Amino acid sequence: MVWSLVATALRWLAAHPWVPIVLLLIAAAAGGVWVHRRREAARWNRVREQGLRYEMPQIDALHHRQFEEAVRDLMRRDGCPEAIQVGGAGDNGADVKATDPYGRRWVIQCKHRSAGLAGSAVGTPDLHVLNGTGRPVHNGDVIVLVTNGRFTDKAVAFARSQRLHLVDRHLLARWAAGSTPLWELLNAVPSPAVPPPGPEPCRGRDGVRKPLERHTGRLPGPRARTLPLAGCSHSSLPPSHPPRPPTTSPEPARGPWCSPSSPDSCSAPEGWVLHGR
């Protein structure tokens, strides 16, 4: 019975050869439309993330799960394309996880208050959970608690003692409504885990790469003298030289551009000049 039906169908298709062609064209057109819509959706997602802004009334009106998604999207806007929302049952204190362009792993807990500043303040119990899991369980480098409300004084003191970062309503408003990455708004963020790409290290007149020193007019050692090497100042770097990563130190950090134990790995970031003896 089955074989007879198959034979009949084949004979019908043989008598109407245009039918398979039409079906293939319809399938190809449907596939093309699907691919086009996927690409357009991805493009608009990128545009939305790059220009994403939130005002505080918008954030206050969100559901707590939507608040977590908003924080995730802000991290993506800042340059963390793999930021994910993981909040829910068994999240071990993490609602959003991300890796920034400098290789630092961010573990973020979100506390939404529908009443904003008038809502209950976030206290130390929430920080105890985050502090106990952020580094040991989630392997985070930067541990953050974000709220659209406020923190108790004890929570602020505890966070400072445990190297936790707090984002209250005022800081959240600056972050959400602007375009500055969160790591440039926080204090005492750990140094980048990976060095940013930079230019080729400068070389001395003998062709050997020299260590970098702050341009103070002196060199280390008993025979200190000033000898700037041509082509090694910041002004001589190519225009495509990327900016230094943000640092909380008032003076530019030596690492990761120049390690005292490995002077041959030096490059010249902004504000530094290479000297030789």
Side-chain angles (χ1 to χ4, degrees), residues 15 19 35 74 80 84 121 125 134 149 157 159 184 221 237 245 254 261:
V19 173
V35 171
L74 287 171
C80 308
I84 57 173
E184 294 186 14
L237 295 177
R254 296 192 68 180
S261 61

Side-chain angles (χ1 to χ4, degrees), residues 67-256:
F67 180 54
E68 296 170 4
E69 294 171 351
V71 171
R72 175 204 62 193
D73 292 343
L74 287 171
M75 292 297 291
R76 289 180 178 177
R77 180 202 69 184
D78 290 351
C80 308
E82 298 181 358
I84 57 173
Q85 184 266 336
V86 295
D91 59 17
N92 290 320
D95 294 319
V96 175
K97 297 169 74 172
T99 301
D100 67 24
Y102 304 108
R104 294 171 295 207
R105 292 180 297 273
W106 291 66
V107 177
I108 305 174
Q109 187 178 87
C110 306
K111 293 297 178 183
H112 185 264
R113 298 291 186 261
S114 57
L117 284 175
S120 60
V122 179
T124 54
D126 294 310
L127 290 176
H128 290 161
V129 175
L130 182 61
N131 189 48
T133 61
R135 295 183 181 93
V137 176
H138 300 292
N139 298 316
D141 299 309
V142 188
I143 315 301
V144 186
L145 199 153
V146 179
T147 182
N148 64 323
R150 54 196 172 90
F151 295 97
T152 64
D153 293 339
K154 290 184 177 180
V156 173
F158 180 81
R160 187 180 297 114
S161 69
Q162 300 299 314
R163 296 182 296 116
L164 305 177
H165 298 274
L166 302 182
V167 178
D168 62 8
R169 183 178 183 85
H170 303 294
L171 186 56
L172 176 60
R174 289 178 57 195
W175 180 36
S179 58
T180 304
L182 183 57
W183 47 87
E184 294 186 14
L185 297 174
L186 296 175
N187 294 321
V189 174
S191 299
V194 294
E200 287 294 322
C202 297
R203 296 180 180 270
R205 293 178 180 176
D206 56 0
V208 178
R209 288 180 291 184
K210 303 294 183 179
L212 291 171
E213 289 296 330
R214 188 64 172 160
H215 188 37
T216 58
R218 291 184 58 84
L219 289 168
R223 296 179 298 167
R225 59 193 178 93
T226 302
L227 183 60
L229 297 177
C232 296
S233 67
H234 174 69
S235 60
S236 67
L237 295 177
S240 60
H241 178 57
R244 291 184 293 115
T247 174
T248 56
S249 172
E251 295 218 6
R254 296 192 68 180

Side-chain angles (χ1 to χ4, degrees), residues 53-60 173 176-177:
R53 302 289 188 276
Y54 284 106
E55 299 296 334
M56 291 312 298
Q58 292 176 283
I59 291 179
D60 292 341

Side-chain angles (χ1 to χ4, degrees), residues 28-52:
V33 170
W34 181 81
V35 171
H36 175 73
R37 288 182 177 178
R38 290 271 298 185
R39 288 178 177 174
E40 283 294 301
R43 184 174 70 86
W44 281 112
N45 282 338
R46 289 193 297 269
V47 171
R48 181 178 61 84
E49 290 168 2
Q50 291 170 0
L52 184 64

